[in-house]
Amino acid sequence: MVVKFKSLSDLLHALPDEESCIAYLEWIVWKGKVVSPYDPQSQVYKCKGHNYKCKNTGKYFNARTNTMFYRSSVPLQKWFMAIWLFMTHRKGLSSVQLSKDIGVTQKTAWAMLHRIRKCFGEQNKELKLDGTVEIDETFIGGKNKNRHKDKKAKHSRGRSFKDKVPVFGMLQRGGYVVAKVVANTRAKTLRKETDKTIVKGSTIYSDEWNYGNLSQRYSHFYINHCYGVYGIGDITTNSIEGFWSILKRGIIGVYHKVSKRHLQKYVDEFVFRYNQRLLPLQEQFRTAMECLNQRVTYNDLIYANEKA
């Protein structure tokens, strides 16, 4: 089922009701051949209401099973609208704004956005970078000097973790970016991320911060920002710093404040959107739809002590 659309109005015209949305979701999930999520080798029986039965396990399922839409009472068309709006709002989309755009409560919109972010985060975990890669770290959190007197954090100057959260980023020139919330900016912590993400033999550009002995595994060049030097020929970290600018402008301008617990999800959002930026809007939507096999419940978001 090939559906073409270049705008939100095209999407609504192509998928005007729940039936058409279910048909589109079935094509995204199964590409024309229904497969049981409980036993891929099992025979499948068609049942009423777009439901199916797995012969080997006796369990019922549908296209929503094991996706972000599972056990959601929100119509699929509103989900698709949310994904489209989320992908096309370059600086982020607040739950208040989404609730008004698609006609749901703010609480529902907030949970929907976090489910979408959860799916986006899978790509951020698995990407491998090679060629020329820029690395840098940043800190997310308001400046201590701007806080009210009774809310200032003591002894939190410079790279303090008391009032800010460190995020480590790696950007392949002409390619993807990967960014992770980290416990600290020690060389051992950051080196673990580089070795996991950057292919051995790549060229790394960084600032003067201690990342360990990168020359053992990579071709490493750095510049000294502390001396006011920000580029020597191709050796610069301007691209990854440009991504930090996008991330921080989105958090400050749209979300205003992000908790440490959920910060990685917001980072995943901006990473995914940045990595799809050169694709046509329809391809961005299709890419987002094809990574929907992750789900987080409302109780997980509110109560569970999960790692962000």
Side-chain angles (χ1 to χ4, degrees), residues 198-211:
I198 304 175
V199 176
K200 184 178 181 180
S202 300
T203 299
I204 291 181
Y205 294 154
S206 73
D207 58 18
E208 70 278 12
W209 186 250
N210 179 20
Y211 297 100

Side-chain angles (χ1 to χ4, degrees), residues 186-202:
R186 297 185 186 127
K188 183 178 179 180
T189 301
L190 302 184
R191 183 61 186 272
K192 180 180 178 182
E193 296 298 333
T194 58
D195 289 351
K196 183 171 63 175
T197 304
I198 304 175
V199 176
K200 184 178 181 180
S202 300

Side-chain angles (χ1 to χ4, degrees), residues 4-29:
K4 295 183 178 181
F5 37 78
K6 296 182 179 179
S7 65
L8 182 59
S9 60
D10 288 346
L11 187 153
L12 296 177
H13 179 74
L15 306 172
D17 51 35
E18 191 71 4
E19 289 292 317
S20 59
C21 289
I22 291 174
Y24 180 68
L25 180 60
E26 289 183 344
W27 178 80
I28 289 290
V29 174

